[in-house]
Amino acid sequence: MSEALPLKQRTNRLPRSARRAQLLDVALEVFVEQGYHAASMDEIAERAGVSKPVLYQHFPGKLDLYLALLATSCDTVIAGVKDALASTTDNRERVQATIELWYDYVADQGAAFRLVFESDLTNDPSVREQVDRVIHESASAIAEVIHEDTGLPAPASHLLAVSLVGMGHVGARNWLSADSRLNREEAVELAAGLAWRGIGGFPTTTGDE
């Protein structure tokens, strides 16, 4: 039986924003370790080194805490996709950067990634809405670039963008869960190469790839 994570030391009074961030960090540990249904506010408060009233001052209930954490995790990956797209004007490098984003997110923020895409509460509409938001907003950002660079109609650009997002996050999830013999760099190169061979076949409005 694995040892429980050590309880956080009782801490001095923190500014509200810092306390909220600390509570979210602790809640992430608990929710990923135990799942939503098994996690308790009592344990989150204890691990954070605060009283339950303090926890409830920030989050009125467990679902409120979970949704706040989920929203933060979703914002992280959406911002990452936008940063990857803005990191270069070379389309091949954009594809590479975007695929790398998904694999980095899995490898470096595995806990947050599992919270978003492997939640045990996806039947709840408010949770499903947040998970769908990652796909929608990531695809919207990519579709805008595709539309501008290729002149394809918006619906076509959106379909291609959704397909690229699926290739990124589904491939990355499989790579993580299948205990692949490929290292991250090898997996990224394969996925990025496949994505570029597809999207790179559409001519740009300037005639450049």
Side-chain angles (χ1 to χ4, degrees):
M1 185 174 182
S2 61
E3 295 184 1
L5 291 176
L7 301 181
K8 304 289 184 185
Q9 294 291 328
R10 291 277 174 178
T11 55
N12 294 328
R13 185 178 180 86
L14 294 174
R16 184 173 180 83
S17 60
R19 176 65 74 195
R20 179 183 174 88
Q22 181 221 8
L23 293 173
L24 288 172
D25 286 343
V26 173
L28 177 61
E29 294 176 359
V30 176
F31 282 130
V32 170
E33 175 189 323
Q34 301 180 9
Y36 176 82
H37 296 291
S40 72
M41 295 291 272
D42 286 309
E43 181 165 0
I44 292 169
E46 186 176 3
R47 290 196 189 187
V50 302
S51 65
K52 279 183 67 178
V54 169
L55 178 57
Y56 281 111
Q57 285 175 9
H58 291 269
F59 306 101
K62 186 167 74 167
L63 182 58
D64 299 284
L65 173 55
Y66 188 84
L67 289 174
L69 184 57
L70 187 60
T72 298
S73 298
C74 290
D75 289 342
T76 297
V77 70
I78 292 167
V81 169
K82 292 179 178 179
D83 288 344
L85 292 172
S87 66
T88 177
T89 57
D90 182 280
N91 288 327
R92 184 167 191 164
E93 292 178 3
R94 277 174 168 162
V95 170
Q96 178 82 17
T98 304
I99 294 295
E100 283 182 352
L101 175 279
W102 291 104
Y103 281 81
D104 286 345
Y105 189 56
V106 167
D108 299 335
Q109 301 189 47
F113 189 88
R114 289 194 296 273
L115 186 72
V116 175
F117 289 105
E118 299 175 9
S119 170
D120 60 350
L121 199 63
T122 51
N123 288 333
D124 185 287
S126 56
V127 173
R128 185 73 253 168
E129 180 181 357
Q130 285 293 329
V131 175
D132 289 344
R133 181 170 69 88
V134 173
I135 306 300
H136 174 73
E137 294 193 23
S138 297
S140 293
I142 295 170
E144 184 176 345
V145 173
I146 293 173
H147 175 67
E148 290 176 354
D149 285 359
T150 66
L152 287 170
S157 298
H158 182 73
L159 178 60
L160 291 174
V162 170
S163 299
L164 288 173
V165 170
M167 183 182 297
H169 86 79
V170 173
R173 288 171 64 191
N174 180 265
W175 169 74
L176 179 68
S177 64
D179 193 23
S180 174
R181 295 181 181 179
L182 298 171
N183 62 37
R184 190 196 68 87
E185 289 73 21
E186 291 170 331
V188 167
E189 287 302 316
L190 285 170
L194 176 61
W196 175 246
R197 287 184 180 90
I199 197 67
F202 292 92
T204 63
T205 54
T206 62
D208 298 325
E209 291 189 350

